Amino acid sequence: PVHNSVRNWVRWVMRNFDAGKPQHGWLAWGLSVVLPAALACAVHWALVLTLGWVAAVIWNVAILYVTLGFRQFSHHFTSIRDALAAADEAQARELLAQWMRIDASTLPRSEIVRHVIEHSILSAHRHVFGVFAWYSLLAALGLGPAGAVMYRVSEYVATVTSRPILPTSQPISDTVQEHSAQAWA
């Protein structure tokens, strides 16, 4: 439900605020990313001021639970590891191809392992360490879980805007694509 809400929010913002000019690119990115982060911060402070810090801690834990993505990648890694352990390199290649969206049909075992390690580390950074780092940084500044929300939504916007556009979907301007990639970087 949370992912669907974020997806619908980003689509709505892109559809209504992406007019193709540089200022519209930053406006669309800002509304997509900063507004949900500001909402998370506002709820945090409303809980602190009305119900106390215990309620705010529960809110922070809930936000971290939603934004952390342990299961976003670990099942891929586990499946490929199990296939390699069973000496089923064909299955490992197929799983790797599905996970990374690459042609892995001719990769030797050592390359499969290299790709899995490389992509697992990158995924762990994006789905776990990056979320914790931004959460910690902005929470230390008094902004509660805004950093975790900002990081995950920014990553999502950068991913969505860099995908090839389907014929049935709303086109995304080059300025939004550039600004999303810049902000994510």
Side-chain angles (χ1 to χ4, degrees):
V2 174
H3 180 75
N4 288 338
S5 298
V6 170
R7 183 180 60 225
N8 291 337
W9 169 251
V10 169
R11 284 180 181 169
W12 183 84
V13 169
M14 295 302 161
R15 187 173 49 250
N16 290 299
F17 292 95
D18 179 11
K21 294 186 179 178
Q23 63 269 26
H24 296 134
W26 283 119
L27 177 66
W29 181 87
L31 286 173
S32 296
V33 174
V34 176
L35 201 56
L39 179 63
C41 181
V43 169
H44 168 79
W45 278 106
L47 290 171
V48 167
L49 296 173
T50 58
L51 300 176
W53 67 270
V54 173
V57 167
I58 293 169
W59 171 249
N60 281 261
V61 169
I63 291 292
L64 283 173
Y65 178 78
V66 168
T67 56
L68 286 172
F70 290 112
R71 294 298 300 160
Q72 299 273 333
F73 66 93
S74 63
H75 62 283
H76 295 292
F77 174 78
T78 304
S79 298
I80 295 169
R81 183 200 63 205
D82 291 346
L84 288 172
D88 189 356
E89 290 183 21
Q91 176 69 16
R93 282 186 196 93
E94 183 181 326
L95 292 168
L96 179 65
Q98 289 173 1
W99 183 23
M100 297 180 59
R101 294 182 176 98
I102 62 168
D103 179 21
S105 60
T106 60
L107 292 177
R109 182 183 178 94
S110 61
E111 282 297 303
I112 295 171
V113 171
R114 184 186 68 77
H115 279 289
V116 168
I117 291 171
E118 181 181 311
H119 204 62
S120 294
I121 290 171
L122 181 60
S123 294
H125 169 72
R126 285 191 176 156
H127 295 283
V128 180
F129 303 126
V131 173
F132 273 131
W134 279 99
Y135 169 80
S136 300
L137 180 66
L138 294 189
L141 297 174
L143 298 176
V149 173
M150 182 186 74
Y151 182 85
R152 290 299 289 157
V153 176
S154 179
E155 187 262 339
Y156 177 74
V157 170
T159 301
V160 166
T161 58
S162 67
R163 287 183 190 154
I165 298 173
L166 299 173
T168 58
S169 59
Q170 176 79 16
I172 298 172
S173 71
D174 291 340
T175 57
V176 170
Q177 292 175 13
E178 291 169 16
H179 295 329
S180 296
Q182 278 180 331
W184 176 240

